[in-house]
Amino acid sequence: IVTLGHLLHEQRLIKSVKEQELMAQAAQISVAAQYRALAIVGPSVTEADIEAELLYSYRLQRAKSEAYPSIVATGENACTLHYVQNESLLLEGDLVLIDAGCELQYYASDVTRTYPVSGRFSPAQRDVYDIVLAANLAAIEACRAGNHFNLPHEAATLVLVEGLIELGLLQGDPEQVIAQGDHHKFCPHKTSHWLGLDVHDVGDYRLGDAWRDLMPGMVLTVEPGIYIPRDDATAEIPEPYRGLGIRIEDAILIQNEGCRVLTDALIKDADDIEARMAARASSADMTRVV
Ligand code: GLY
Ligand code: MN
């Protein structure tokens, strides 16, 4: 008996032009759904309202379903990585993390943004948000053919750790912190996974002992995050940082030159998010009956 899995998985790793277009469309539908969700983010809605908005938007755009259970996590719920309960009320002053993607003609999309419920980040939220965003951008910069799969993760991790040291949430030299794994209590997951017919798609990440090289046609996510549990007793954590969970995720297509960010149309700069939420609040058609 010869199992064909390995051969098929390798074929799925490199997307044809047709597949790339489908994945770009799936990403675009998920981006539009995020904008629709962002339009209702506020203190009087629940995580369920937002999940419903996402699903409604997918179907309006002719995607059949979600690619995985949507994660709509407000406040400390965002510190639970695969939180899917989606029933809490959004509270003024908290954040809401939305990790959601549609499936289009069997192809998955996957995108995460984190928004301030009240429309403005608190100083502590903004500190952490800007570190995660810098890590996301550093990882994307490392997404190019010829770089090995783990380079985006290494780039993101260095930025996260340097930022956490600067905030005083970790102590020591960045290289040493990373070698000891001290950052895992705030950054517990890897930065990337393959994306394709499945959200965590098949395909080896290593060939033998070494990380494999990125090649044109591969699609992967970059999704650095920082999670600071409210009751963490293992570190000196000032109150404003407690209970924050922030992740910023994009889907990346490796090209001959550099990469294409399939989810690029979704804003992620904190100023842009605040400006969009402020403009929305002043617009009469955003009035919502709850
Ligand atoms: N977006 C869900 C995950 O990557 O696990
Ligand atoms: Mn993901």
Side-chain angles (χ1 to χ4, degrees):
I1 295 172
V2 178
T3 57
L4 294 176
H6 178 74
L7 295 173
L8 295 172
H9 297 172
E10 285 299 300
Q11 289 177 15
R12 278 170 59 172
L13 258 183
I14 309 289
K15 275 68 177 177
S16 68
V17 172
K18 172 82 180 146
E19 289 176 299
Q20 292 174 19
E21 275 320 305
L22 271 176
M23 293 194 71
Q25 269 180 41
Q28 190 47 47
I29 291 170
S30 300
V31 164
Q34 279 261 352
Y35 277 122
R36 195 167 178 121
L38 175 57
I40 66 158
V41 166
S44 56
V45 303
T46 67
E47 295 166 345
D49 294 327
I50 293 173
E51 181 181 12
E53 206 70 37
L54 293 163
L55 295 174
Y56 181 55
S57 180
Y58 299 156
R59 282 305 285 136
L60 283 180
Q61 298 179 83
R62 303 296 175 259
K64 281 282 185 201
S65 66
E66 53 189 0
Y68 55 92
S70 300
I71 299 166
V72 183
T74 193
E76 202 187 3
N77 295 342
C79 296
T80 300
L81 292 185
H82 286 274
Y83 174 84
V84 288
Q85 201 163 339
N86 299 354
E87 280 169 350
S88 297
L89 187 67
L90 275 58
L91 299 176
E92 186 92 36
D94 277 349
L95 300 174
V96 60
L97 181 155
I98 304 177
D99 179 343
C102 73
E103 185 173 297
L104 181 70
Q105 296 182 39
Y106 304 108
Y107 285 86
S109 56
D110 187 3
V111 58
T112 307
R113 291 291 186 267
T114 309
Y115 307 113
V117 172
S118 57
R120 290 194 68 90
F121 292 92
S122 72
Q125 290 167 350
R126 176 75 183 238
D127 287 346
V128 179
Y129 188 92
D130 284 346
I131 294 168
V132 177
L133 180 59
N136 167 287
L137 296 173
I140 291 172
E141 192 59 35
C143 287
R144 47 190 61 243
N147 281 354
H148 67 68
F149 172 81
N150 208 44
L151 263 185
H153 176 63
E154 291 172 10
T157 302
L158 185 60
V159 173
L160 293 173
V161 168
E162 285 176 345
L164 287 165
I165 290 172
E166 201 159 307
L167 289 186
L169 298 180
L170 289 173
Q171 282 76 38
D173 165 69
E175 315 283 338
Q176 190 189 353
V177 166
I178 292 169
Q180 290 173 185
D182 296 347
H183 59 301
H184 289 148
K185 65 179 168 225
F186 300 128
C187 310
H189 61 74
K190 298 277 289 185
T191 302
S192 300
H193 57 80
W194 302 131
L195 185 65
L197 286 171
D198 205 349
V199 63
H200 288 195
D201 209 15
V202 295
D204 292 332
Y205 291 102
R206 289 173 174 274
L207 298 178
D209 289 340
W211 294 108
R212 78 184 307 155
D213 284 349
L214 297 174
M215 294 167 63
M218 289 176 166
V219 179
L220 69 160
T221 63
V222 297
E223 49 181 306
I226 293 179
Y227 314 88
I228 309 174
R230 168 149 292 286
D231 58 1
D232 189 316
T234 64
E236 289 289 321
I237 302 171
E239 177 58 28
Y241 293 110
R242 290 183 179 269
L244 297 185
I246 297 176
R247 179 164 65 255
I248 305 173
E249 174 177 33
D250 288 294
I252 312 294
L253 167 65
I254 304 296
Q255 296 186 302
N256 290 330
E257 297 291 329
C259 66
R260 176 175 168 198
V261 181
L262 299 178
T263 43
D264 206 25
L266 187 56
I267 52 172
K268 57 185 173 182
D269 180 85
D271 286 338
D272 291 343
I273 289 171
E274 289 184 348
R276 188 174 178 105
M277 293 183 79
R280 178 200 68 157
S282 63
S283 154
D285 65 359
M286 292 319 307
T287 308
R288 181 176 159 81
V289 179
V290 179

